[in-house]
Amino acid sequence: QQQVKQSPQSLIVQKGGISIINCAYENTAFDYFPWYQQFPGKGPALLIAIRPDVSEKKEGRFTISFNKSAKQFSLHIMDSQPGDSATYFCAGEDSWGKFQFGAGTQVVVTP
Amino acid sequence: SQTIHQWPATLVQPVGSPLSLECTVEGTSNPNLYWYRQAAGRGLQLLFYSVGIGQISSEVPQNLSASRPQDRQFILSSKKLLLSDSGFYLCASQGLAGQETQYFGPGTRLLVL
């Protein structure tokens, strides 16, 4: 059972454009929603995270939008740069510390 | 913040050989520890997690096993490797369940030939 569905599987965006990745979850016990960034051959690194008591969180060019009623959240990468080319994973965590990860989105930013 | 060490970084092993991957954690005490496997271009598959010394839960039946001999040490093992065991193995640590995120190590790339 895939509790966190992530789309699209891959994304190509031009430099300066906006990258948007969407995730939908089923488990209403999730209370923490992180996004991870992974470069080839490296472990995933925490990028930005949100709790369901806020609808939006922004850190630099990265923004999470959260819709609790729809059980959806998304990552927006503004002014995308070639250095943002990576695989992005969303996740949900419940209060017992159990994580469920999305399948990942490969983002390619063209010069 | 936590630092997770994994070794070796890369490993090439013949089919049928044993395996031992090690993960150690700095910067936290009594963490939850996790082993994930990631196939090329794919997502993260949770293999094992541990909430304390000697406490291991398996998520997927397979020929792999895990052990936690010390608070901040997590070991992934196999007695006989299969071709399908090839992949990128990631160790993750979480300091306080429900209050901190998971931090990942640099990973071990395993190729079984």
Side-chain angles (χ1 to χ4, degrees), chain B residues 56-76:
Chain B
I56 310 294
S57 295
S58 174
E59 290 291 305
V60 181
Q62 58 215 318
N63 71 321
L64 299 172
S65 62
S67 62
R68 184 170 177 176
Q70 299 181 43
D71 180 44
R72 289 172 290 177
Q73 183 184 30
F74 205 21
I75 297 172
L76 183 69

Side-chain angles (χ1 to χ4, degrees), chain A residues 66-82:
Chain A
F66 188 84
N67 186 329
K68 187 174 182 178
S69 61
K71 293 189 287 186
Q72 295 176 349
F73 58 111
S74 61
L75 176 69
H76 294 233
I77 306 174
M78 312 300 289
D79 187 27
S80 296
Q81 300 296 310

